[in-house]
Amino acid sequence: MTNPLYVAIDTPYLDHACVLAKKLKGQVGGLKLGLEFFCANGHHGVHEIAHLGMPVFLDLKLHDIPNTVAKAMQAIHVLEPAIVTVHAGGGRAMMEDAKAAAGVETKVVGVTLLTSLDEQDMAATGLNGCAHDQVTRLADLAAEAGLDGIVCSGHEVKAVHRMWKDGYFVVPGLRPAGGDEPDQKAGDQKRTVTPRAARDAGASVLVVGRPITKAEDPVAAARAIAATL
């Protein structure tokens, strides 16, 4: 059975990322590299991490006009990422072009609503309604555009899984039960659940960052989370 746990390695320092990745090999199912890492290290950095032999999730959240996103997707094709994110809010045409330009083995998933946002934040940006409605609306659009799945919080994944049976659901912003250290609290995440709760609700990939990477013993932290699954 494939390990659904991906660790978010959010650092601009390639050496530190490689050390963490080597430690966690065999404990997690893959590595998530985001904008911070990619902007600092580019293709070279991703290649260095990929050489360790684990699936790489490029969390770039591409969001631009369809042609630009398609060209960006073509530019990262050589990196052979397992998963790439685009913003579902970019529209159906953008998502269609992103999926068409991606590699055959790459899952393209649409970010619906960042887990750092709540309904007050939505209202401030002109989005009416609740988080659940926004996520399900964009999930429908992503499915129509031919994406593999979406990114959403653990609060919405059960409902989305019910409406999109064969979708691929990435759930970030997870916090282990009983995490009382400062880096295990919610931090800038507002819609959090535990990894087990997300998995039970239908998540395909569980993304955990600081509770593992900032732990005194990252390997023990990853094993403890995996044991709950």
Side-chain angles (χ1 to χ4, degrees):
M1 180 174 163
T2 302
N3 186 342
L5 182 61
Y6 274 58
V7 63
I9 299 185
D10 296 318
T11 175
Y13 305 111
L14 179 56
D15 288 347
H16 178 57
C18 286
V19 168
L20 262 176
K22 287 175 183 176
K23 281 183 180 179
L24 292 166
K25 185 173 183 179
Q27 309 303 323
V28 298
L31 307 168
K32 183 185 84 74
L33 303 176
L35 273 178
E36 183 179 6
F37 179 90
F38 193 74
C39 288
N41 301 288
H43 280 215
H44 168 70
V46 178
H47 276 303
E48 290 297 305
I49 295 293
H51 284 159
L52 298 175
M54 286 187 284
V56 171
F57 169 9
L58 276 184
D59 187 19
L60 302 182
K61 299 183 178 73
L62 301 176
H63 190 173
D64 213 309
I65 62 173
N67 182 64
T68 298
V69 169
K71 295 293 186 183
M73 194 67 79
Q74 290 171 0
I76 61 175
H77 184 281
V78 66
L79 300 175
E80 300 182 334
I83 311 168
V84 176
T85 50
V86 301
H87 266 292
R92 178 170 178 166
M94 188 206 79
M95 289 189 281
E96 287 175 341
D97 286 6
K99 180 58 182 172
V104 175
E105 301 299 324
T106 297
K107 291 189 182 296
V108 181
V109 295
V111 176
T112 53
L113 186 67
L114 297 174
T115 50
S116 60
L117 301 180
D118 58 18
E119 286 163 19
Q120 186 175 347
D121 298 311
M122 289 173 60
T125 58
L127 290 173
N128 297 318
C130 64
H132 176 276
D133 292 346
Q134 177 69 1
V135 170
T136 55
R137 181 164 52 244
L138 288 176
D140 272 336
L141 190 62
E144 291 170 7
L147 293 197
D148 297 284
I150 61 162
V151 182
C152 66
S153 87
H155 291 278
E156 299 94 29
V157 69
K158 185 173 184 178
V160 177
H161 184 261
R162 193 160 45 235
M163 58 188 268
W164 189 356
K165 295 296 185 185
D166 60 346
Y168 191 78
F169 305 115
V170 177
V171 179
L174 299 171
R175 294 294 181 265
D180 54 5
E181 295 300 316
D183 284 309
Q184 293 206 12
K185 293 181 180 178
D188 55 1
Q189 306 289 350
K190 294 181 179 178
R191 294 172 10 260
T192 66
V193 300
T194 65
R196 177 57 188 265
R199 185 64 167 166
D200 288 347
S204 310
V205 168
L206 307 169
V207 180
V208 179
R210 285 168 287 186
I212 293 176
T213 61
K214 299 296 185 183
E216 186 174 331
D217 185 343
V219 171
R223 284 177 177 166
I225 293 171
T228 68
L229 304 177

